[in-house]
Structures are given as C-alpha cells and as structure tokens.
Coordinates of all heavy atoms in Angstrom, one line a residue:
K17 N 9.1 5.9 -12.3 CA 7.8 5.3 -12.0 C 6.8 5.3 -13.2 O 6.6 6.3 -13.9 CB 7.1 6.0 -10.9 CG 5.7 5.5 -10.5 CD 5.0 6.2 -9.4 CE 3.6 5.9 -9.2 NZ 2.9 6.7 -8.2
R18 N 6.3 4.1 -13.6 CA 5.4 4.0 -14.7 C 4.0 3.6 -14.2 O 3.0 4.1 -14.8 CB 5.9 2.9 -15.7 CG 5.2 2.8 -17.0 CD 5.8 1.7 -17.8 NE 5.2 1.6 -19.1 CZ 5.4 0.7 -20.0 NH1 6.2 -0.3 -19.8 NH2 4.7 0.7 -21.2
T19 N 3.9 2.7 -13.3 CA 2.6 2.4 -12.7 C 2.9 1.8 -11.3 O 4.0 1.6 -10.9 CB 1.9 1.3 -13.6 OG1 0.6 1.1 -13.1 CG2 2.7 0.0 -13.6
T20 N 1.8 1.5 -10.6 CA 1.9 0.9 -9.3 C 1.2 -0.5 -9.4 O 0.3 -0.7 -10.2 CB 1.3 1.7 -8.2 OG1 -0.1 1.9 -8.5 CG2 2.0 3.1 -8.1
G21 N 1.6 -1.4 -8.5 CA 1.0 -2.7 -8.4 C 0.9 -3.2 -7.0 O 0.9 -2.4 -6.1
Q22 N 0.8 -4.5 -6.9 CA 0.8 -5.2 -5.6 C 1.6 -6.4 -5.5 O 1.8 -7.1 -6.6 CB -0.7 -5.5 -5.2 CG -1.3 -6.4 -6.3 CD -2.8 -6.7 -6.0 OE1 -3.1 -7.2 -4.9 NE2 -3.7 -6.4 -6.9
H23 N 2.2 -6.7 -4.4 CA 2.9 -7.9 -4.2 C 1.9 -9.1 -4.3 O 0.8 -9.0 -3.8 CB 3.5 -7.9 -2.8 CG 4.5 -9.0 -2.5 ND1 4.1 -10.3 -2.2 CD2 5.8 -9.1 -2.5 CE1 5.1 -11.0 -2.0 NE2 6.2 -10.3 -2.2
P24 N 2.3 -10.2 -4.9 CA 1.3 -11.3 -5.0 C 0.8 -11.9 -3.8 O -0.3 -12.5 -3.7 CB 2.1 -12.4 -5.8 CG 3.5 -12.0 -5.7 CD 3.6 -10.6 -5.5
G25 N 1.5 -11.8 -2.7 CA 1.0 -12.3 -1.4 C 1.4 -11.5 -0.2 O 1.1 -11.9 0.9
G26 N 2.0 -10.4 -0.4 CA 2.5 -9.6 0.8 C 1.5 -8.8 1.4 O 0.7 -8.0 0.7
L27 N 1.3 -8.9 2.7 CA 0.4 -8.1 3.5 C 1.1 -7.4 4.6 O 1.9 -8.0 5.4 CB -0.7 -9.0 4.2 CG -1.5 -9.9 3.2 CD1 -2.4 -10.8 4.1 CD2 -2.4 -9.0 2.3
V28 N 1.0 -6.1 4.6 CA 1.6 -5.2 5.6 C 0.6 -5.0 6.8 O -0.5 -4.7 6.6 CB 2.0 -3.8 5.0 CG1 2.5 -2.9 6.1 CG2 3.0 -4.0 3.9
V29 N 1.1 -5.3 8.0 CA 0.2 -5.2 9.2 C 0.6 -4.0 10.0 O 1.8 -3.9 10.4 CB 0.3 -6.5 10.1 CG1 -0.6 -6.4 11.3 CG2 0.0 -7.8 9.2
I30 N -0.3 -3.1 10.3 CA -0.1 -1.9 11.0 C -0.4 -2.2 12.5 O -1.4 -2.8 12.8 CB -1.1 -0.8 10.5 CG1 -0.9 -0.6 9.0 CG2 -0.8 0.5 11.2 CD1 0.4 -0.2 8.5
P31 N 0.5 -1.7 13.4 CA 0.2 -1.8 14.8 C -1.2 -1.3 15.2 O -1.7 -0.4 14.6 CB 1.3 -1.0 15.5 CG 2.4 -0.9 14.5 CD 1.7 -0.9 13.2
Q32 N -1.8 -2.0 16.2 CA -3.2 -1.7 16.6 C -3.4 -0.2 17.0 O -4.5 0.3 16.9 CB -3.7 -2.6 17.7 CG -3.8 -4.1 17.2 CD -4.9 -4.2 16.1 OE1 -6.0 -3.8 16.3 NE2 -4.5 -4.8 15.0
D33 N -2.4 0.4 17.6 CA -2.5 1.8 18.1 C -2.1 2.8 17.1 O -2.0 4.0 17.4 CB -1.7 1.9 19.4 CG -0.2 1.7 19.2 OD1 0.1 1.0 18.2 OD2 0.6 2.1 20.0
M34 N -2.0 2.4 15.8 CA -1.6 3.3 14.8 C -2.4 3.1 13.6 O -3.2 2.2 13.5 CB -0.1 3.1 14.5 CG 0.8 3.2 15.7 SD 2.6 3.2 15.3 CE 2.9 4.9 15.0
E35 N -2.2 4.1 12.6 CA -3.0 4.0 11.3 C -2.0 4.0 10.2 O -0.8 4.4 10.3 CB -3.9 5.2 11.2 CG -5.0 5.2 12.3 CD -5.9 6.4 12.1 OE1 -5.7 7.2 11.1 OE2 -6.8 6.6 12.9
I36 N -2.5 3.5 9.0 CA -1.6 3.4 7.8 C -1.0 4.8 7.5 O 0.2 4.9 7.1 CB -2.4 2.9 6.6 CG1 -1.5 2.7 5.4 CG2 -3.6 3.7 6.3 CD1 -0.4 1.7 5.5
C37 N -1.7 5.9 7.7 CA -1.2 7.2 7.4 C -0.1 7.7 8.3 O 0.5 8.7 8.0 CB -2.4 8.2 7.3 SG -3.5 7.9 6.0
D38 N 0.1 7.0 9.4 CA 1.3 7.3 10.2 C 2.5 6.9 9.5 O 3.6 7.3 9.9 CB 1.2 6.5 11.6 CG 0.0 7.1 12.5 OD1 -0.3 8.3 12.4 OD2 -0.6 6.3 13.2
F39 N 2.4 6.0 8.5 CA 3.6 5.5 7.8 C 3.6 6.0 6.4 O 4.7 6.4 5.9 CB 3.6 4.0 7.9 CG 3.7 3.4 9.2 CD1 2.5 3.1 10.0 CD2 4.9 3.2 9.8 CE1 2.6 2.6 11.2 CE2 5.0 2.7 11.1 CZ 3.9 2.4 11.8
C40 N 2.5 5.9 5.7 CA 2.5 6.3 4.3 C 1.0 6.4 3.9 O 0.1 5.9 4.5 CB 3.2 5.3 3.4 SG 2.3 3.8 3.1
P41 N 0.7 7.1 2.7 CA -0.6 7.1 2.2 C -1.0 5.6 1.7 O -0.1 4.8 1.5 CB -0.6 8.0 1.0 CG 0.7 8.8 1.2 CD 1.6 7.9 1.9
A42 N -2.3 5.4 1.5 CA -2.8 4.1 0.9 C -3.5 4.5 -0.4 O -4.0 5.6 -0.6 CB -3.7 3.4 1.9
Q43 N -3.5 3.5 -1.3 CA -4.1 3.7 -2.6 C -4.6 2.4 -3.3 O -4.3 1.3 -2.8 CB -3.1 4.4 -3.5 CG -1.9 3.4 -3.9 CD -0.9 4.1 -4.8 OE1 -0.6 5.2 -4.6 NE2 -0.4 3.3 -5.7
H44 N -5.4 2.6 -4.3 CA -5.7 1.4 -5.2 C -4.6 1.2 -6.1 O -4.0 2.1 -6.7 CB -7.0 1.7 -6.0 CG -8.2 1.9 -5.1 ND1 -8.8 0.8 -4.4 CD2 -8.9 3.0 -4.8 CE1 -9.8 1.3 -3.8 NE2 -10.0 2.6 -4.0
P45 N -4.2 -0.1 -6.4 CA -3.1 -0.4 -7.4 C -3.4 0.2 -8.7 O -4.6 0.0 -9.2 CB -3.0 -1.9 -7.4 CG -4.3 -2.4 -6.8 CD -4.8 -1.3 -5.9
A46 N -2.4 0.8 -9.4 CA -2.6 1.4 -10.7 C -3.7 2.4 -10.8 O -4.3 2.6 -11.8 CB -2.8 0.3 -11.8
D47 N -4.1 3.0 -9.6 CA -5.1 4.0 -9.5 C -6.5 3.5 -10.0 O -7.3 4.3 -10.6 CB -4.7 5.3 -10.3 CG -3.5 5.9 -9.7 OD1 -3.3 5.8 -8.5 OD2 -2.7 6.6 -10.4
D48 N -6.7 2.2 -9.9 CA -8.0 1.6 -10.3 C -9.0 1.7 -9.2 O -9.0 1.0 -8.2 CB -7.7 0.1 -10.7 CG -9.0 -0.6 -11.2 OD1 -10.0 0.1 -11.3 OD2 -8.9 -1.8 -11.5
K49 N -9.9 2.7 -9.4 CA -10.9 2.9 -8.4 C -12.0 1.8 -8.2 O -12.7 1.7 -7.2 CB -11.7 4.2 -8.7 CG -10.8 5.5 -8.6 CD -11.5 6.7 -9.0 CE -10.6 7.9 -9.0 NZ -11.3 9.2 -9.4
D50 N -12.1 0.9 -9.2 CA -13.1 -0.1 -9.2 C -12.7 -1.3 -8.4 O -13.5 -2.2 -8.2 CB -13.4 -0.5 -10.6 CG -14.1 0.6 -11.4 OD1 -14.8 1.4 -10.8 OD2 -13.8 0.7 -12.6
T51 N -11.4 -1.4 -8.0 CA -10.9 -2.6 -7.3 C -11.1 -2.4 -5.8 O -11.1 -1.3 -5.3 CB -9.5 -2.9 -7.6 OG1 -9.1 -4.1 -6.8 CG2 -8.6 -1.8 -7.2
D52 N -11.3 -3.5 -5.0 CA -11.5 -3.4 -3.6 C -10.1 -3.4 -2.9 O -10.1 -3.2 -1.7 CB -12.3 -4.7 -3.1 CG -13.7 -4.6 -3.6 OD1 -14.2 -3.5 -3.8 OD2 -14.3 -5.7 -3.8
I53 N -9.1 -3.7 -3.6 CA -7.8 -3.8 -3.0 C -7.2 -2.5 -2.7 O -7.2 -1.6 -3.5 CB -6.8 -4.6 -4.0 CG1 -7.4 -6.1 -4.2 CG2 -5.4 -4.7 -3.4 CD1 -6.7 -6.8 -5.3
I54 N -6.6 -2.4 -1.5 CA -5.9 -1.1 -1.1 C -4.5 -1.5 -0.8 O -4.2 -2.4 0.0 CB -6.6 -0.4 0.1 CG1 -8.0 -0.1 -0.3 CG2 -5.8 0.8 0.5 CD1 -8.8 0.5 0.9
T55 N -3.5 -0.8 -1.3 CA -2.1 -1.1 -1.1 C -1.4 0.1 -0.4 O -1.9 1.2 -0.4 CB -1.4 -1.3 -2.4 OG1 -1.2 -0.1 -3.2 CG2 -2.1 -2.4 -3.3
T56 N -0.2 -0.2 0.1 CA 0.6 0.9 0.6 C 1.1 1.8 -0.6 O 1.3 1.2 -1.7 CB 1.9 0.4 1.3 OG1 2.6 -0.4 0.4 CG2 1.5 -0.4 2.5
H57 N 1.1 3.1 -0.5 CA 1.5 4.0 -1.6 C 3.0 3.8 -1.9 O 3.4 3.7 -3.0 CB 1.2 5.4 -1.2 CG 1.8 6.4 -2.2 ND1 1.2 6.6 -3.4 CD2 2.8 7.3 -2.1 CE1 1.9 7.5 -4.1 NE2 2.9 8.0 -3.3
F58 N 3.8 3.7 -0.8 CA 5.2 3.5 -1.0 C 5.5 2.0 -1.3 O 4.8 1.2 -0.9 CB 6.0 4.0 0.2 CG 5.9 5.4 0.5 CD1 5.8 5.9 1.8 CD2 5.9 6.4 -0.6 CE1 5.7 7.3 2.0 CE2 5.8 7.7 -0.3 CZ 5.7 8.2 1.0
E59 N 6.6 1.8 -2.0 CA 7.1 0.5 -2.3 C 7.4 -0.2 -0.9 O 8.1 0.4 -0.1 CB 8.3 0.5 -3.2 CG 8.5 -0.6 -4.1 CD 9.3 -1.7 -3.6 OE1 10.0 -1.5 -2.5 OE2 9.3 -2.8 -4.2
Y60 N 6.9 -1.4 -0.7 CA 7.0 -2.0 0.6 C 8.4 -2.2 1.1 O 8.6 -2.2 2.4 CB 6.2 -3.4 0.6 CG 6.9 -4.5 -0.1 CD1 7.7 -5.4 0.5 CD2 6.7 -4.6 -1.5 CE1 8.3 -6.4 -0.2 CE2 7.3 -5.7 -2.2 CZ 8.1 -6.5 -1.5 OH 8.7 -7.6 -2.2
H61 N 9.4 -2.3 0.3 CA 10.8 -2.5 0.7 C 11.2 -1.2 1.6 O 12.1 -1.4 2.4 CB 11.7 -2.6 -0.4 CG 11.7 -4.0 -1.0 ND1 12.0 -5.1 -0.2 CD2 11.5 -4.5 -2.3 CE1 11.9 -6.2 -1.0 NE2 11.6 -5.8 -2.2
C62 N 10.6 -0.1 1.3 CA 10.9 1.1 2.1 C 10.6 1.0 3.5 O 11.1 1.7 4.4 CB 10.2 2.3 1.5 SG 10.6 2.6 -0.3
M63 N 9.6 0.1 3.8 CA 9.1 0.1 5.2 C 9.3 -1.3 5.9 O 8.8 -1.4 7.0 CB 7.5 0.4 5.2 CG 7.2 1.7 4.6 SD 5.4 1.9 4.3 CE 5.1 0.8 3.0
E64 N 9.9 -2.2 5.2 CA 10.0 -3.5 5.8 C 10.8 -3.6 7.1 O 10.7 -4.6 7.8 CB 10.5 -4.5 4.7 CG 11.9 -4.3 4.3 CD 12.3 -5.3 3.2 OE1 11.5 -6.1 2.8 OE2 13.5 -5.2 2.7

C-alpha cells in the first residue's frame, strides 16, 4: 500500500438498518482531511 483513493463513480450503499462500521472503517481518500469525500477504508472489491 502506497496511498488510498476513490473509484471514479463507484458508490457503496449500506443497508438502512446497519452502519458503515458494521463492515469496515471509513476515511478521507489519501488521508486528506480537507476533502468532503468519505470512502470505504477497505478496497471495495473486498466487499462487493
């Protein structure tokens, strides 16, 4: 692992009765605190 990023158009939808942390942590891409974007911490293929 060198850095983290985001899929250009991929959106992961969490079931209404659950939270993102039931599956994985969430984070800003490349640890950029100034961005509004929040991504899944794990690579999305792990959860597809």
